[in-house]
């Protein structure tokens, strides 16, 4: 793999409130940075401000700023110029909660992450979503299906993360962020989108190599 294959690509990194995945997402941002991408950090209101059992908001913000080398955009005013000024080549929403999926599917733009998506899409440039929601196969399924049909929006492959204890939960494979990004920049969906369950969570299938 070309270590610098994303050299100079401007990527918006929008984090929403699936706090349990933040450390994996931070590792994905580090991988993008290592591949040469220029990262622009964006956070939803909740992701930016809430202290949780997974970490204090201040520590989360400091880590995000350290990885990206830029100040975080976490207000509507800060993200609105993304489209008019054509600031980004690609926008990634990771983790993308069920609430944010609903906003994107229904055209709501009342959070920084959702408005960033709306503003970016006006230029016909790609959006990449890394879903993380406990009701991905329940209440959020209709929103997931709606977005899957739209041009210009792509997904990091996802799976049921614990089909025994949380049978409706879906989470992206954040280790595939760089490959998914490269495909999205070519307006292609990495395949397969649906991945088998992790071996420690139960039975699983042998997977085919990722393609786009």
């Amino acid at each position: 793999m070309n270590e610098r294959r994303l050299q100079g690509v401007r990527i918006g990194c929008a984090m929403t409130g699936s706090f349990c995945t933040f450390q994996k997402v931070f590792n994905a941002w580090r991988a993008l940075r290592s591949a040469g991408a220029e990262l622009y950090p964006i956070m939803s209101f909740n992701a930016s401000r809430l202290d949780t059992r997974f970490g204090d908001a201040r520590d989360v913000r400091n880590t995000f700023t350290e990885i990206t080398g830029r100040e975080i955009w976490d207000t509507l005013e800060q993200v609105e110029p993304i489209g008019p000024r054509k600031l980004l080549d690609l926008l990634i929403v990771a983790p993308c909660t069920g609430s944010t999926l609903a906003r994107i599917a229904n055209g709501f733009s009342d959070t920084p992450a959702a408005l960033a998506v709306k503003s970016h899409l006006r230029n016909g440039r790609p959006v990449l979503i890394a879903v993380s929601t406990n009701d991905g196969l329940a209440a959020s399924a209709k929103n997931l299906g709606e977005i899957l049909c739209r041009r210009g929006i792509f997904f990091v492959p996802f799976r049921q993360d614990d089909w025994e204890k949380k049978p409706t939960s879906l989470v992206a494979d954040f280790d595939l962020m760089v490959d998914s990004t490269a495909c999205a920049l070519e307006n292609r969906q990495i395949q397969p989108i649906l991945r088998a369950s992790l071996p420690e969570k139960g039975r699983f299938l042998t997977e085919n190599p990722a393609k786009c």
Side-chain angles (χ1 to χ4, degrees):
M1 183 180 71
N2 184 352
E3 290 294 331
R4 308 295 291 180
R5 60 175 164 159
L6 300 178
Q7 185 69 41
V9 175
R10 302 169 301 167
I11 298 176
C13 303
M15 297 184 69
T16 68
S18 179
F19 300 96
C20 61
T21 64
F22 276 13
Q23 292 307 312
K24 291 183 178 179
V25 173
F26 285 147
N27 289 335
W29 300 148
R30 292 184 180 100
L32 289 174
R33 188 77 184 269
S34 296
E38 298 177 7
L39 306 184
Y40 294 80
I42 301 164
M43 300 188 84
S44 69
F45 295 131
N46 289 340
S48 177
R49 300 171 186 175
L50 294 183
D51 296 329
T52 73
R53 61 191 175 94
F54 299 103
D56 293 339
R58 181 176 63 179
D59 294 336
V60 168
R61 290 174 60 88
N62 288 341
T63 299
F64 203 8
T65 300
E66 180 182 354
I67 293 170
T68 61
R70 290 183 169 89
E71 291 300 315
I72 295 167
W73 297 340
D74 61 356
T75 69
L76 300 178
E77 294 86 351
Q78 287 172 311
V79 301
E80 187 277 333
I82 287 174
R85 298 181 185 175
K86 299 183 178 180
L87 298 179
L88 304 174
D89 300 306
L90 171 72
L91 176 63
I92 302 174
V93 185
C96 182
T97 62
S99 294
T100 300
L101 276 178
R103 288 182 168 90
I104 296 171
N106 293 283
F108 298 147
S109 52
D110 56 345
T111 71
L115 181 57
V117 171
K118 179 180 179 180
S119 186
H120 179 70
L121 283 173
R122 65 178 276 177
N123 297 320
R125 295 180 179 180
V127 170
L128 178 64
I129 292 176
V131 67
S132 179
T133 175
N134 284 330
D135 66 351
L137 295 178
S140 289
K142 62 180 180 181
N143 296 319
L144 180 63
E146 169 66 28
I147 298 171
L148 281 167
C149 295
R150 295 188 182 176
R151 292 185 60 186
I153 301 182
F154 305 93
F155 283 81
V156 177
F158 51 83
R159 57 167 52 88
Q160 290 176 273
D161 56 309
D162 188 346
W163 54 264
E164 289 186 315
K165 296 179 181 179
K166 300 187 298 178
T168 64
S169 180
L170 295 176
V171 66
D173 186 340
F174 298 105
D175 291 337
L176 294 174
M177 186 72 83
V178 174
D179 289 337
S180 300
T181 295
C183 288
L185 286 166
E186 297 177 354
N187 287 308
R188 298 184 182 186
Q189 172 62 55
I190 192 171
Q191 297 289 350
I193 300 178
L194 298 177
R195 299 296 169 120
S197 298
L198 295 172
E200 65 268 22
K201 299 297 184 181
R203 295 177 302 227
F204 66 104
L205 302 174
T206 302
E207 296 181 350
N208 295 322
K211 297 180 181 179
C212 63

